[in-house]
Amino acid sequence: MSAPADVAEKAEKPPKEPVGSSIAFTATLILLVGLALFGRRIFAGAFTDEGVRTWATMFVGVTVQALPFLVLGVLLSAALTAFVPASFFAKALPKHPALAVPVASASGVILPGCECASVPVSAALMARGVTPAAAIAFLLSAPAINPVVLASTAVAFPGQPKVVVARAVTSIAVSMILGWLWLLTGKGGAWFKMPKTRHAEGTPKFEVFRSSMLHDFLHAGGFLVVGAAAAATLNVVVPRAWLDHVASNLLLSVLVLGLLAVLLAICSEADAFVAASLTQFSLTARLAFMVVGPIVDVKLIALQAGTFGPKFAVRFAPATFVVAVLASLGVGWWLL
């Protein structure tokens, strides 16, 4: 009689975080802190070539500027996941799906979270009864217009509040359009898989907070380093004449930076600093970079495929990219 009880007791215990994740988290943290404190001296002493020196200066500058916002965003996102019950959103949203979409989009302004956390949070909302259209709208808006992201954008583009406004307006518009498109075309689709919750029921809140913070920082920190290196490489290695040619064509520059955002997969708390460093491009093209990145990139496509099914990701990612690019062109023409 004791064996089934023992099995049940073991099943109720949440799985422990792998030791490898803790080691990777510590190594990433040490790397980022070391770059922030000593990177400029290390690179300046190791390289003499002017091009490499410029690359190192830009890489360290982008990383150091973005790191505080990244850490703050990860902390707030983990706190939201752990301590705010998903039932709160179900009660706060209107019952009518068409009205719930804009409310869910607007709620991203006050609810912090990076795109790494937006997929599991939206999955938890659906699991608690929130209509998928509203959960998708929140998934798209929260990582793009939360206070940390808007503050980092203001710091990255000093004296240009219109960039912050343009980013918020475009991101809200994209999230609402995709939410309403779901109501029109995706409701009841066999290609959509209702998600399972990320953490088991009964998992202690502080354990949820710890694991969420570790997961998001590990992923976002790594992508920040990759993004900063790619931006520095783009500015130093790619011929200036080629960049000037691409930047001179508005549509081409918007498409190129949109695709770059998909590939770089930079955390939304840090992408404004990378966009600000791409000074060859127009504000509209850089707006597209900041709008596309938080809602469709390689890591988000993988997360969405694993959470909602690959058939969903194959349809959702291209639609999101097209809507984001068109909205960026429209708002850029209007405000920038």
Side-chain angles (χ1 to χ4, degrees):
M1 295 296 292
S2 59
D6 293 339
V7 172
E9 185 178 352
K10 291 180 181 179
E12 292 176 359
K13 292 182 180 180
K16 293 183 179 180
E17 196 74 29
V19 176
S21 296
S22 299
I23 295 175
F25 171 80
T26 304
T28 303
L29 180 61
I30 292 173
L31 173 62
L32 292 176
V33 173
L35 286 172
L37 295 177
F38 309 110
R40 193 178 298 272
R41 292 183 182 179
I42 293 173
F43 286 128
F47 301 110
T48 56
D49 182 74
E50 185 63 27
V52 180
R53 191 186 297 273
T54 302
W55 183 94
T57 301
M58 181 172 293
F59 169 74
V60 175
V62 171
T63 303
V64 171
Q65 277 188 306
L67 186 57
F69 293 97
L70 176 64
V71 173
L72 179 59
V74 167
L75 288 172
L76 292 176
S77 175
L80 173 66
T81 303
F83 302 115
V84 178
S87 58
F88 168 81
F89 300 99
K91 296 177 181 177
L93 293 174
K95 299 297 182 182
H96 196 286
L99 297 178
V101 167
V103 175
S105 297
S107 67
V109 176
I110 58 174
L111 295 173
C114 73
E115 60 268 27
C116 301
S118 65
V119 173
V121 170
S122 63
L125 293 177
M126 294 182 195
R128 302 292 175 84
V130 174
T131 177
I136 287 172
F138 177 81
L139 179 154
L140 298 175
S141 69
I145 61 171
N146 70 69
V148 179
V149 170
L150 296 182
S152 68
T153 306
V155 173
F157 291 88
Q160 295 179 291
K162 61 183 181 180
V163 176
V164 181
V165 175
R167 179 172 194 174
V169 170
T170 310
S171 299
I172 289 177
V174 171
S175 66
M176 289 193 297
I177 291 171
L178 267 298
W180 284 326
L181 278 177
W182 172 266
L183 290 177
L184 293 175
T185 63
K187 191 175 181 180
W191 41 268
F192 177 73
K193 180 182 71 175
M194 282 298 291
K196 298 179 181 179
T197 56
R198 179 174 169 180
H199 297 95
E201 290 292 337
T203 304
K205 292 183 177 180
F206 282 100
E207 173 61 23
V208 174
F209 175 80
R210 186 196 67 82
S211 63
S212 298
M213 182 179 63
L214 188 151
H215 175 274
D216 294 344
F217 181 82
L218 181 62
H219 283 70
F223 283 111
L224 168 60
V225 172
V226 172
T233 302
L234 182 67
N235 278 273
V236 173
V237 174
V238 179
R240 181 70 58 176
W242 188 87
L243 285 178
D244 292 340
H245 174 71
V246 173
S248 64
N249 187 310
L250 178 61
L251 181 59
L252 181 60
S253 63
V254 167
L255 289 174
V256 167
L257 287 195
L259 290 173
L260 187 65
V262 174
L263 296 174
L264 293 184
I266 307 170
C267 185
S268 58
E269 280 86 5
D271 62 359
F273 297 97
V274 176
S277 70
L278 302 173
T279 54
Q280 302 91 340
F281 295 89
S282 66
L283 286 177
T284 299
R286 287 184 278 176
L287 172 65
F289 180 87
M290 293 185 290
V291 170
V292 170
I295 60 177
V296 53
D297 59 36
V298 289
K299 72 175 185 297
L300 277 176
I301 294 172
L303 284 171
Q304 291 166 3
T307 305
F308 305 117
K311 293 181 180 180
F312 170 85
V314 167
R315 292 167 172 79
F316 188 70
T320 304
F321 181 82
V322 171
V323 172
V325 167
L326 293 177
S328 299
L329 284 169
V331 175
W333 172 80
W334 174 41
L335 290 177
L336 303 177

